[in-house]
Amino acid sequence: MRYSRLSGFFVCFTILCCLGLPAFGAKVAVETTSRVLPATAYLVGTCDEQGRPDVCVIDRAGIAETPSGKMIVYVGIRPSRQTAKNIERTGTFTVNVPNAAILPQADYCGTVSGMKDGEYFDKFAVTGLKQEKGADVNAPVLTDCPVILECKTIQTKEFPDGQHKVFFGEVVSYHIASEALDGGKDKPVLQYDPTRGGTLAYFAGSAERSGHYALSAPMGHRGKVWQRKFPLPNGLEARPREKH
Amino acid sequence: MRKIFAALLALFVLTVEAPVASAELLKFSGSPHLLPAPVMVVGAYTPGGQANFAVFHRGGVLTSGKDGGSMRVSFGVKGDAEKSLTYQSVKASGACTINLPSLKYLSETDLLGSFSGRAPCGCFQDKLKAAGLTAVKGAEVNAPMVEEFPISLECELEDDIAIAPGSKSRLMILKVRKVWADEAYIDAKGKINPMSVSGDPDSSLIFFSHSHAENGGYYGYGSFLGKSGEISKRYREGR
């Protein structure tokens, strides 16, 4: 088995080398600038110095850390954008998860600026998206969204040749649509249904299949899926795992 | 008669009070560790020179470069990072790879994420071998990649930072040096797609939701809803 794979690999490699394409297996080298990681396009809400709400679309975002009982999320935004300026000034932002019902409105918010020629531009008036001031932060909560995180900036990071400034926000409170929770609706991490929550998936760039997606059907639980294909004994020994 | 009237009244009240389809938002404190996040299989050589792979979902793209400069990605090491074999390996070698599995390799990925490369005896155990996968050394960086996964990023460790005061978790900040993609994922424009161009569902990259609900766990990309910019055309053209 290994020999035929090895010789197959050698043949492919030789042919591809002759073609001038660096390759291994079925993979070829491509540009390094593509955002190829699976992502989510979030609506990031902020207020300006006059308390006027703005919202933009950010896909350079994710969980940074989950220290005991808390979550730190991050968003990467170009410092020239109105949203970045608002976060700098207020030290707060919201991360709002769009669903399919409001996807065109959400997408629109990523195509125009909240400040046009020095004048405030109200994206909420154009799209009809609903918002109200956050309970714990000076930033808008977009109430059409199934999940909303209220965040306070705790750290930032910039890079000499990077375009984006990274804002790390501690989630001080969050909101979830009741219909997205199973059971008693009091323990979100045990009850949140991503399918009913309607969270979307996103792939950045200009590929044929770049853009907005629904999630697939659920594919199984961590720690359960391996057991179907690699039941014990499988050559590995388990270590008592830390709780996370 | 009274009973009928009471029943009708109850029916009327229930109808009027029936919840409307749109969301009732509930407020919570604590950690909303439930939104889908990218599944990243990080490969690094241990200080002993073995190829080790572990699964992370905290992190993602941080910044893109000015005029095509460095792309930076990150992954977070939870708990006491200094005890993590991946953390020790990436710090020692200054490099790692991020390998993006497809749903076809979900079982293998879950295996990599369910065991440590450090056995209870403290010695190395080869998870990749147990998963039946192949390690290939990077072309640009001193780190191993997973041959079978559709996308691999060769990365150089630029920094690792503490984010929350009093927490020992670290965020690894990586400069992307080289990207490899399965040709089946590359379209006519030469761009990478999150599944094969033929649209095989098994080829999709993977998300992970930490929710413990019945529908928590792993997900792939589902049906395509529209291209960024195109999907909101009606709002820019005026109504």
Side-chain angles (χ1 to χ4, degrees):
Chain A
M1 197 63 152
R2 282 197 72 80
Y3 262 48
S4 64
R5 176 193 274 181
L6 203 59
S7 55
F9 172 79
F10 257 73
V11 169
C12 278
F13 186 75
T14 313
I15 291 171
L16 286 163
C17 274
C18 296
L19 290 172
L21 278 173
F24 75 92
K27 299 216 277 270
V28 294
V30 292
E31 59 185 359
T32 60
T33 52
S34 311
R35 283 171 279 155
V36 295
L37 270 56
T40 305
Y42 294 109
L43 289 167
V44 175
T46 56
C47 283
D48 68 9
E49 72 278 11
Q50 293 185 35
R52 295 173 299 198
D54 191 18
V55 58
C56 71
V57 178
I58 302 293
D59 65 88
R60 293 172 187 79
I63 307 169
E65 194 189 324
T66 50
S68 173
K70 291 187 291 193
M71 176 177 280
I72 317 292
V73 295
Y74 79 87
V75 288
I77 311 180
R78 282 202 316 278
S80 57
R81 288 180 81 167
Q82 187 58 36
T83 295
K85 293 175 185 170
N86 288 351
I87 299 178
E88 297 271 25
R89 197 177 291 111
T90 64
T92 67
F93 58 95
T94 55
V95 175
N96 305 265
V97 178
N99 58 16
I102 56 160
L103 183 54
Q105 296 92 313
D107 186 67
Y108 171 80
C109 294
T111 62
V112 292
S113 173
M115 187 64 71
K116 271 184 180 171
D117 306 318
E119 294 279 312
Y120 172 68
F121 180 74
D122 188 348
K123 298 181 200 179
F124 296 95
V126 172
T127 58
L129 285 171
K130 297 193 282 292
Q131 61 86 24
E132 56 192 45
K133 191 62 75 77
D136 300 307
V137 300
N138 177 18
V141 162
L142 273 62
T143 51
D144 293 298
C145 292
V147 181
I148 303 129
L149 314 180
E150 299 197 27
C151 304
K152 287 196 172 142
T153 312
I154 59 166
Q155 197 180 143
T156 66
K157 193 125 174 80
E158 277 183 285
F159 306 90
D161 66 346
Q163 282 181 343
H164 302 82
K165 181 164 181 172
V166 184
F167 298 88
F168 294 95
E170 182 179 297
V171 179
V172 296
S173 64
Y174 62 102
H175 310 260
I176 302 193
S178 158
E179 68 215 10
L181 294 170
D182 294 339
K185 303 180 191 293
D186 58 342
K187 298 186 179 68
V189 176
L190 301 181
Q191 297 163 350
Y192 178 70
D193 182 334
T195 310
R196 291 208 313 275
T199 50
L200 304 174
Y202 184 72
F203 196 73
S206 55
E208 277 168 29
R209 288 170 172 271
S210 289
H212 302 282
Y213 287 79
L215 287 179
S216 71
M219 289 289 161
H221 279 271
R222 182 169 70 176
K224 302 274 193 311
V225 178
W226 67 264
Q227 294 173 30
R228 301 178 212 150
K229 193 169 177 184
F230 303 100
L232 292 169
N234 55 23
L236 299 174
E237 288 172 73
R239 209 171 55 164
R241 290 182 69 78
E242 292 170 31
K243 285 235 179 246
H244 31 90
Chain B
M1 198 55 197
R2 261 195 207 168
K3 276 189 183 167
I4 295 170
F5 178 78
L8 281 170
L9 186 64
L11 196 64
F12 173 78
V13 167
L14 279 170
T15 314
V16 164
E17 295 299 323
V20 180
S22 67
E24 175 205 356
L25 285 173
L26 304 175
K27 187 166 183 274
F28 301 97
S29 59
S31 173
H33 198 176
L34 39 82
L35 289 172
V39 170
M40 301 176 280
V41 176
V42 175
Y45 289 118
T46 67
Q50 293 117 337
N52 189 50
F53 296 85
V55 185
F56 296 84
H57 69 278
R58 294 168 182 80
V61 173
L62 285 179
T63 76
S64 305
K66 282 192 171 89
D67 308 317
S70 302
M71 189 171 92
R72 283 179 179 80
V73 296
S74 64
F75 69 91
V77 183
K78 66 170 175 61
D80 188 348
E82 297 198 353
K83 296 206 169 106
S84 153
L85 181 59
T86 295
Y87 180 80
Q88 292 164 7
S89 304
V90 179
K91 287 287 279 184
S93 63
C96 67
T97 62
I98 294 185
N99 304 271
L100 304 179
S102 57
L103 287 173
K104 178 179 173 187
Y105 295 104
L106 186 60
S107 300
E108 287 79 358
T109 303
D110 192 47
L111 186 75
L112 295 174
S114 298
F115 291 85
S116 169
R118 193 182 278 127
C121 61
C123 43
F124 177 73
Q125 57 179 4
D126 192 337
K127 294 190 272 179
L128 205 70
K129 184 174 164 201
L133 298 172
T134 318
V136 179
K137 185 163 175 176
E140 293 270 329
V141 307
N142 180 27
M145 298 183 279
V146 181
E147 182 182 293
E148 291 83 356
F149 290 176
I151 298 178
S152 293
L153 292 78
E154 296 191 36
C155 303
E156 181 186 286
L157 179 68
E158 186 179 58
D159 199 359
D160 70 290
I161 61 173
I163 307 148
S167 167
K168 293 185 179 175
S169 305
R170 310 287 291 183
L171 189 73
M172 314 303 281
I173 297 178
L174 311 162
K175 261 187 176 171
V176 177
R177 282 287 176 233
K178 199 167 186 80
V179 179
W180 299 87
D182 187 321
E183 288 183 288
Y185 290 63
I186 301 174
D187 60 32
K189 291 190 280 182
K191 301 290 182 183
I192 306 169
N193 293 264
M195 73 270 304
S196 65
V197 174
S198 64
D200 170 21
D202 237 17
S203 69
S204 166
L205 302 182
I206 310 177
F207 290 90
F208 171 71
S209 160
H210 190 264
S211 166
H212 295 287
E214 195 185 326
N215 283 343
Y218 297 110
Y219 281 85
Y221 282 86
S223 47
F224 185 69
L225 298 175
K227 284 199 156 304
S228 190
E230 279 177 29
I231 211 173
S232 58
K233 241 189 206 163
R234 74 178 101 136
Y235 290 101
R236 285 194 305 286
E237 284 165 359
R239 289 140 109 198

